[in-house]
């Protein structure tokens, strides 16, 4: 099979790493890719938002399957454009991608399908939103309705923070058109997890559960980021929680989407809050998470490619994935200053040495090659993954690998997995 992966980050490197091991693969392309994917595939200089260019390339190269990494091209209609050329895409149509493209749409799907989620209300007028904030009180969650590069959600602990968020999103338009409408919802309290499923429009295949670390600083301090690390499995998400998630959230959503004539195919990412009475939906994303993808795929023992194909053909009921009985931890190394202003161009040393360590894989997220060296070229630059018999072993290996990487302009959180390890020990 000839396969095209769309994207340039750590998630796409992890997908390329997994797919490149398949005996079904004949040629692998990544657009635009990064130095990590270049070692596994042919990088193609096409932007992820160049829908026409991606489709034309897929047609010219007789690509059999396209695997989109990020959400924006899916919301923009990449899967639809590929379908018009009879090219399979492991991702949803633009209509189905509204599950991430519109917070209001997701809440409406949840209500129609009876999915447990926070109470909510949508607003297109700032004055009405401010009044509602006063009525409900804090803590409260303010969300821009559209895509905002992961920065459109504010968990406001006080009324002042809530009003500031409404003003910033709706009046100051910090997220542009994405904030023309907002969703205000109840603040859920519990443990947050990410559950992943591969979907074929009717069936869903469980792909694992992880806990992301969003804030930039140790102890969950500082601003939210795209993800500073992740662990799997989270000790607060046992089999009963997974079963409840598939039965009360994932499968009902698939059923409602099919009923509306927009069947969902591809990766479905459910962001959940585990409360005392079970999991509740925070949001859906229509792609694999990052850095969750880099955390889960090293635990997969099966060939990923046949499952991706089955998702496009409505044949997931015939797929049975096998997973390692192990734990996984990913530490993200970032450029100093991230998620604010940061410098690029610093050289990174030691990657070959680290790549030779047992149970360790380094995924490139924001790098570029220069005269044989690797330079930082983004905010989140490397995702260092390690696996082990338990979380403690996986985390220890990950940080041992991080400490062998020499990069003067880099930093990372030093407490990835710490709270989960304490929780696991408390459960013994």
């Amino acid at each position: 099979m000839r396969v095209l992966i769309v994207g340039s980050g750590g998630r796409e490197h992890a997908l390329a790493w997994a797919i490149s091991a398949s005996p079904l693969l004949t040629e692998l392309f990544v657009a635009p890719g990064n130095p990590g994917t270049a070692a596994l595939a042919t990088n193609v200089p096409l932007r992820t938002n160049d829908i026409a260019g991606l489709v034309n390339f897929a047609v010219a190269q007789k690509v059999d399957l396209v695997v989109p990494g990020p959400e924006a091209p899916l919301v923009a209609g990449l899967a639809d454009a590929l379908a018009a050329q009879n090219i399979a895409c492991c991702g949803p149509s633009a209509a189905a991608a509204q599950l991430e493209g519109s917070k209001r749409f997701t809440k409406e799907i949840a209500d129609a399908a009876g999915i447990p989620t926070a109470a909510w209300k949508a607003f297109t007028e700032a004055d009405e939103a401010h009044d509602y904030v006063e009525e409900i009180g804090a803590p409260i969650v303010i969300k821009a309705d559209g895509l905002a590069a992961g920065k459109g959600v504010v968990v406001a602990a006080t009324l002042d923070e809530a009003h500031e968020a409404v003003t910033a999103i709706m009046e100051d338009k910090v997220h542009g058109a994405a904030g023309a409408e907002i969703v205000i919802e109840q603040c859920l309290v519990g443990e947050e997890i990410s559950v992943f499923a591969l979907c074929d429009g009717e069936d869903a295949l469980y792909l694992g559960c992880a806990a992301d670390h969003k804030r930039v600083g140790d102890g969950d301090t500082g601003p939210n980021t795209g993800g500073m690390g992740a662990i799997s499995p989270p000790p607060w998400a046992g089999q009963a929680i997974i079963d409840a998630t598939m039965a009360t959230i994932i499968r009902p959503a698939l059923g409602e989407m099919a009923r509306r004539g927009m069947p969902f195919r591809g990766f479905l990412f459910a962001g959940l809050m585990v409360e005392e009475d079970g999991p509740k939906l925070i949001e859906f994303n229509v792609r694999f998470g990052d850095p969750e993808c880099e955390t889960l795929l090293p635990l997969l023992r099966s060939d990923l490619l046949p499952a991706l194909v089955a998702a496009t053909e409505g044949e997931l009921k015939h797929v049975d994935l096998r997973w390692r009985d192990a734990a996984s931890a990913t530490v993200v190394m970032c450029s100093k200053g991230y998620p604010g202003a940061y410098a690029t161009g610093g050289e990174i040393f030691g990657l070959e040495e680290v790549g030779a360590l047992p149970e360790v894989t380094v995924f490139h997220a924001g790098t570029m090659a220069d005269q044989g060296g690797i330079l930082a070229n983004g905010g989140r630059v490397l995702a260092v993954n390690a696996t082990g018999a338990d979380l403690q072993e996986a985390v220890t290996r990950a940080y041992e690998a991080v400490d062998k990487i020499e990069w003067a302009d880099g930093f990372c959180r030093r407490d990835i997995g710490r709270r989960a390890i304490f929780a696991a020990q408390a459960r013994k």
Side-chain angles (χ1 to χ4, degrees), residues 93-417:
S93 65
Q98 290 180 88
L99 279 177
E100 183 164 359
S102 169
K103 301 294 191 298
R104 176 174 186 153
F105 178 82
T106 293
K107 301 298 278 191
E108 290 173 346
I109 290 292
D111 287 351
I115 294 170
T117 188
W120 66 284
K121 195 169 182 179
F123 297 90
T124 56
E125 298 295 333
D127 289 345
E128 294 177 5
H130 285 296
D131 290 344
Y132 186 70
V133 165
E134 287 292 330
E135 176 186 341
I136 299 301
I140 195 168
V141 181
I142 316 295
K143 297 180 176 181
D145 178 67
L147 294 180
K151 300 176 181 178
V153 178
V154 177
V155 180
T158 66
L159 285 175
D160 285 346
E161 289 178 5
H163 287 302
E164 288 171 4
V166 171
T167 297
I169 296 172
M170 300 194 78
E171 300 175 54
D172 297 341
K173 303 187 188 313
V174 294
H175 303 303
E181 183 171 12
I182 65 170
V183 169
I184 300 179
E185 62 182 40
Q186 163 198 11
C187 185
L188 300 176
V189 178
E191 294 287 358
E192 194 168 344
I193 61 172
S194 302
V195 173
F196 297 88
L198 186 61
C199 307
D200 68 3
E202 294 184 1
D203 293 319
L205 185 67
Y206 175 65
L207 279 185
C209 177
D212 193 6
H213 297 60
K214 284 291 186 189
R215 293 191 180 272
V216 71
D218 288 5
D220 289 324
T221 58
N224 275 326
T225 72
M228 298 296 295
I231 55 96
S232 181
W236 44 81
Q239 191 60 48
I241 295 297
I242 300 305
D243 291 344
T245 298
M246 297 300 291
T248 68
I249 296 173
I250 300 292
R251 292 195 172 95
L254 287 186
E256 179 61 21
M257 293 294 285
R259 188 188 69 79
R260 295 185 179 212
M262 47 183 76
F264 187 93
R265 300 181 181 91
F267 298 108
L268 185 59
F269 168 173
L272 309 173
M273 188 69 74
V274 179
E275 297 194 317
E276 290 185 2
D277 57 348
K280 292 186 178 179
L281 178 69
I282 299 172
E283 64 181 5
F284 278 129
N285 294 310
V286 300
R287 32 74 186 183
F288 222 141
D290 185 352
E292 295 96 336
C293 182
E294 298 96 304
T295 306
L296 292 172
L297 287 184
L299 296 175
L300 180 63
R301 293 175 58 196
S302 300
D303 187 347
L304 179 63
L305 187 52
L308 301 182
V309 173
T312 70
E313 297 177 344
E315 295 294 332
L316 277 179
K317 60 181 175 292
H318 301 301
V319 177
D320 182 22
L321 294 179
R322 292 174 294 113
W323 299 86
R324 295 174 57 190
D325 182 16
S328 181
T330 299
V331 178
V332 175
M333 300 187 71
C334 303
S335 297
K336 290 178 180 177
Y338 176 81
Y342 55 83
T344 61
E347 189 163 5
I348 303 169
F349 301 94
L351 293 179
E352 288 188 8
E353 178 187 0
V354 171
L357 295 174
E359 301 292 328
V360 171
T361 309
V362 180
F363 296 109
H364 290 240
T367 63
M368 62 180 176
D370 181 67
Q371 296 181 352
I374 298 296
L375 309 182
N377 190 39
R380 293 191 298 160
V381 176
L382 298 170
V384 181
N385 173 264
T387 56
D390 54 26
L391 280 175
Q392 180 66 72
E393 186 173 63
V395 167
T396 297
R397 283 176 174 164
Y399 278 112
E400 286 176 348
V402 164
D403 291 340
K404 292 181 182 297
I405 295 173
E406 298 178 29
W407 175 26
D409 298 326
F411 80 98
C412 66
R413 276 182 60 163
R414 303 300 306 192
D415 66 342
I416 300 301

Side-chain angles (χ1 to χ4, degrees), residues 30-119:
V30 187
N34 61 42
T37 63
L40 303 166
T42 300
N43 285 349
V44 182
L46 289 170
R47 300 185 308 276
T48 59
N49 63 355
D50 183 2
I51 305 298
L54 292 167
V55 173
N56 289 339
F57 176 84
V59 170
Q61 291 295 325
K62 295 181 171 55
V63 166
D64 299 296
L65 175 69
V66 176
V67 184
E71 67 280 5
L74 291 166
V75 173
L78 176 59
D80 307 82
L82 289 164
Q85 298 296 329
N86 296 313
I87 297 173
C89 177
C90 189
S93 65
Q98 290 180 88
L99 279 177
E100 183 164 359
S102 169
K103 301 294 191 298
R104 176 174 186 153
F105 178 82
T106 293
K107 301 298 278 191
E108 290 173 346
I109 290 292
D111 287 351
I115 294 170
T117 188

